[in-house]
Amino acid sequence: MDYRLLIITFLAMSLSGVCAEAQAQPREMSKIKRLVRGFSEIDTNYIEPQHYNFTVMLQSTINYDIYRLRSNSGQTVTFSPDMVVKVGPYFGWKWFFLGYTFDLKHFGFSDSGKKREVAFSIYSSQIGIDLFYRRTGSDYKIRNAYMGDGIDAGRLSGVSFNGINVGITGVNLYYVFNHKKFSYPAAFAQSTCQKISCGSWLAGVGYMNNSIDLDHAKLQQVVSENCSPENVKIDSGLMFRNVKYYNISVSGGYAYNWVIAKNLLFCASASLSLSYKHSKGYMAENVDHGFKFENVNIDGVGRFGLVYNNMRWYAGTSAILHSYNYRKSRFATNNVFGSLNLYIGYNFGIKDKYKKK
């Protein structure tokens, strides 16, 4: 057998394969480009695309957080920190938007080294993503409480309580069905303008893990000192030291952009999710004693925005609220957190295709 012929044949086949692959590569690249462009594809009769490459913005953010615990006997305690106001600059280039806000009350330092919060959202025409990471610190106050019939718990309102820490990490991915005519970015990213009122159904999936650390001894002390009659005992359902639960959800909802007047838009959006939660916790009386439970609950996300945008200047306000719930015979929790944003911005660096000839 002539091995040289085999080698030549092999090289020829390999070369032809490389050539075929090289010819196919532009076609594959064009498919990828079409796929990427599809995420921002719009109907210009309904939506005006962004005319500029760059933007600068000044934003003020007010964060809101409330946590409610309820025992199996009906005792309830609601915790919430004071609202935090932050202000800072942002800079944007096409899809990328970066900025930083400063806490006006604790400029340059934090009242709790454990307090951390990162929120990141992407609003394209077709797909949206919310990422959030929260570590609350220990600056909660008791907002209200119910300890049982005949017990006066009024003095608990406003009492500082540093015995609870809450951690939340999660991601939500959602799809906008009517993305060619309805624009989420018009209301929440100021990157397009909605010209005609329009709405869209939404569908999504999400994952979240939540942890609650509670110092039940401190809670018992605060309750005993501020309730009448004295020495009120908290229910055993509130005497845990740590609970962690993991949440997988599927959601559906609806969003609507109402064009009030030219360049003035109001958006309202609501989604409900069916969430499967797997949990485990540890009771206070014995470090080795724990409990596990599984449950299905309904959670929700709401978004609201009011914005004026004439393509060069824009200003407005937006609010995003998340609600996560867990209910079981031992105890129930409800956590509502979100943010209110006030902003004003300026676009510059007009794109070539919008320059006047």
Side-chain angles (χ1 to χ4, degrees):
M1 180 179 292
D2 191 342
Y3 290 96
R4 289 176 296 178
L5 180 60
L6 286 177
I7 294 173
I8 292 172
T9 304
F10 174 76
L11 291 174
M13 293 175 62
S14 300
L15 183 59
S16 63
V18 170
C19 293
E21 184 177 350
Q23 292 174 355
Q25 188 173 3
R27 292 196 295 269
E28 294 298 326
M29 291 299 294
S30 63
K31 290 181 181 179
I32 294 174
K33 288 183 179 179
R34 288 197 300 269
L35 178 63
V36 172
R37 289 174 180 173
F39 287 118
S40 58
E41 187 178 357
I42 58 175
D43 184 341
T44 54
N45 293 317
Y46 283 79
I47 302 169
E48 183 69 21
Q50 177 60 268
H51 291 188
Y52 298 89
N53 288 309
F54 304 97
T55 184
V56 289
M57 182 180 75
L58 181 66
Q59 177 171 292
S60 173
T61 299
I62 302 173
N63 292 323
Y64 176 78
D65 188 7
I66 186 169
Y67 214 98
R68 183 173 180 265
L69 299 177
R70 183 180 184 276
S71 73
N72 55 359
S73 68
Q75 289 184 344
T76 61
V77 185
T78 302
F79 304 94
S80 178
D82 292 331
M83 290 188 181
V84 176
V85 180
K86 297 181 179 181
V87 176
Y90 285 78
F91 175 80
W93 173 66
K94 294 185 178 180
W95 280 23
F96 299 95
F97 213 77
L98 298 174
Y100 187 80
T101 54
F102 303 89
D103 185 345
L104 294 181
K105 186 176 180 181
H106 305 95
F107 185 80
F109 63 91
S110 173
D111 58 336
S112 174
K114 296 180 180 179
K115 196 180 187 83
R116 299 287 186 273
E117 180 174 359
V118 177
F120 178 70
S121 296
I122 298 175
Y123 296 103
S124 73
S125 298
Q126 193 171 0
I127 290 178
I129 302 173
D130 291 327
L131 299 169
F132 47 89
Y133 172 90
R134 295 169 59 85
R135 297 297 181 267
T136 61
S138 54
D139 59 346
Y140 277 92
K141 291 182 178 179
I142 298 176
R143 299 303 176 179
N144 58 67
Y146 172 78
M147 291 291 109
D149 294 336
I151 298 176
D152 182 6
R155 286 192 300 167
L156 282 172
S157 180
V159 173
S160 297
F161 183 72
N162 63 359
I164 183 172
N165 284 280
V166 179
I168 302 172
T169 304
V171 57
N172 292 322
L173 173 67
Y174 52 90
Y175 180 81
V176 180
F177 286 94
N178 192 21
H179 55 272
K180 292 184 179 181
K181 296 181 179 180
F182 168 85
S183 176
Y184 245 146
F188 298 103
Q190 304 85 45
S191 58
T192 60
C193 283
Q194 186 84 44
K195 296 193 289 186
I196 301 175
S197 299
C198 190
S200 177
W201 291 102
L202 313 170
V205 294
Y207 171 80
M208 186 267 293
N209 68 64
N210 194 340
S211 64
I212 313 167
D213 296 317
L214 180 68
D215 189 330
H216 76 98
K218 285 185 178 181
L219 181 60
Q220 179 62 75
Q221 180 181 355
V222 169
V223 168
S224 299
E225 292 176 351
N226 292 278
C227 287
S228 179
E230 297 180 353
N231 299 321
V232 175
K233 300 297 183 183
I234 62 174
D235 188 77
S236 60
L238 299 179
M239 296 181 67
F240 62 88
R241 59 183 177 86
N242 176 267
V243 175
K244 294 182 179 180
Y245 60 84
Y246 306 87
N247 174 70
I248 299 174
S249 63
V250 292
S251 63
Y254 190 79
Y256 189 78
N257 278 348
W258 175 31
V259 180
I260 303 172
K262 184 180 179 180
N263 301 325
L264 183 61
L265 173 69
F266 174 75
C267 177
S269 169
S271 295
L272 293 178
S273 60
L274 191 64
S275 305
Y276 169 78
K277 295 179 174 67
H278 175 75
S279 312
K280 62 180 180 180
Y282 299 93
M283 301 304 294
E285 59 269 18
N286 189 331
V287 70
D288 295 323
H289 176 57
F291 55 91
K292 294 182 179 181
F293 38 74
E294 298 177 355
N295 205 352
V296 175
N297 296 113
I298 295 178
D299 300 324
V301 178
R303 295 179 177 87
F304 307 91
L306 177 66
V307 57
Y308 173 83
N309 187 354
N310 65 9
M311 280 298 173
R312 174 67 79 172
W313 289 93
Y314 58 90
T317 180
S318 63
I320 301 176
L321 291 174
H322 300 262
S323 176
Y324 292 98
N325 307 283
Y326 176 81
R327 287 179 175 83
K328 199 70 172 178
S329 58
R330 182 182 293 274
F331 71 95
T333 69
N334 173 247
N335 182 208
V336 177
F337 67 90
S339 61
L340 173 66
N341 301 312
L342 303 172
Y343 55 86
I344 182 170
Y346 177 76
N347 295 315
F348 61 98
I350 192 167
K351 297 178 180 179
D352 291 339
K353 64 181 178 180
Y354 296 109
K355 291 180 179 179
K356 294 182 180 179
K357 303 297 184 181

